[in-house]
Amino acid sequence: MKLIGSATSPYVRRIRLLLADAGQGYEFSDLNIYGEDREELRRQNPTLKIPVLHDGDEVIFDSRVIYRYLQDKLDLPGINWKQENLLTMIDGANDSMVALLLTQRSGIDISEDKLFYNLQRERIEQTLAELEKLVADDAFEVWNYPAMCLYSMFDWGVFRGLLDTAGYPHLSAWLAEQQDRPGIHSSDPRTAA
Ligand SMILES: N[C@@H](CCC(=O)N[C@@H](CS)C(=O)NCC(=O)O)C(=O)O
């Protein structure tokens, strides 16, 4: 198995955590998707996004689909409808944070009172407030795929300076409790930056 990604991507990290937890070995291709490895990304995925998983002749795009593929292949637990909604919330916050980061990197001031930035900020705040409540209610007690996605998203938001841990005491405490889970340290975006 080969995972095409980058050492800092939260969508790639969730799959790295999953593979580590399942004890599945794999080759990791760490691309600079906005720089020198752009051509390789074009060859890998027409949507120009990571992660991409290669397994023999199969090439799978998108972390959510990769999970479904690995679930079948490695006999992992299924995701129920409630958990699908958790993934949608986590992805909503994560996509908006990626959009804000790329806007910021384009030299645009994202603190301006503009519709697009306001909508992203509102989505991030709303989903994170809901996730904070769910963590307080022990909805993420089990270290499963939604928990790995939550960990990767929240830790990445903090790493990129888009989230303030002080506003999310339950999430922050939950994050600290997961430090010894398989793959957490080796996939830390801070060690790659
Ligand atoms: N829905 C996709 C999202 C993946 C995604 O947005 N990945 C980011 C890296 S963190 C990316 O490739 N961004 C490239 C771009 O937006 O141009 C998934 O779950 O795999």
Side-chain angles (χ1 to χ4, degrees), residues 3-22:
L3 182 65
I4 314 293
S6 79
T8 52
S9 163
Y11 292 100
V12 173
R13 192 181 194 188
R14 51 173 70 173
I15 301 299
R16 294 173 77 190
L17 294 180
L18 182 70
L19 291 169
D21 193 58

Side-chain angles (χ1 to χ4, degrees), residues 1 12 16 44 47 75 85 112 115 120 129 138-139 141 146:
M1 248 179 227
V12 173
R16 294 173 77 190
Q44 289 292 339
T47 72
D75 207 14
N85 283 343
E112 272 188 70
L115 179 65
Q120 308 315 312
D138 293 332
E141 244 183 356

Side-chain angles (χ1 to χ4, degrees), residues 12 41 46 53-54 69 78 84 91 101 104-105 107 109 124-125 152-153 162 164-165 169 181 190 193:
V12 173
L41 179 67
L53 184 78
H54 288 238
Y69 178 82
E84 291 283 2
D91 285 0
L101 185 77
Q104 208 171 36
R105 284 188 177 176
D109 178 7
I124 295 165
E125 280 163 22
S152 304
M153 178 274 282
L162 294 163
D164 181 3
T165 50
R181 299 290 190 189
R190 292 158 192 85

Side-chain angles (χ1 to χ4, degrees), residues 5-7 34 47-48 73 84 90 119 134 140 153 178 182 192:
S6 79
Y34 304 116
T47 72
L48 302 170
K73 170 105 188 178
E84 291 283 2
I90 294 163
L119 296 180
L134 287 164
F140 289 94
M153 178 274 282
Q178 314 306 322

Side-chain angles (χ1 to χ4, degrees), residues 1 3 10-26 51 53 62-79 87 143-149 151-152 181-184 186-187:
M1 248 179 227
L3 182 65
Y11 292 100
V12 173
R13 192 181 194 188
R14 51 173 70 173
I15 301 299
R16 294 173 77 190
L17 294 180
L18 182 70
L19 291 169
D21 193 58
Q24 171 68 45
Y26 63 100
L53 184 78
D62 196 285
S63 63
R64 214 146 161 174
V65 185
I66 292 172
Y67 180 78
R68 279 182 49 208
Y69 178 82
L70 291 173
Q71 183 197 324
D72 271 1
K73 170 105 188 178
L74 305 176
D75 207 14
L76 302 175
I79 297 280
L87 291 181
W143 187 242
N144 53 17
Y145 185 61
M148 293 169 199
C149 294
Y151 188 98
S152 304
R181 299 290 190 189
I184 288 287
S186 58
S187 66

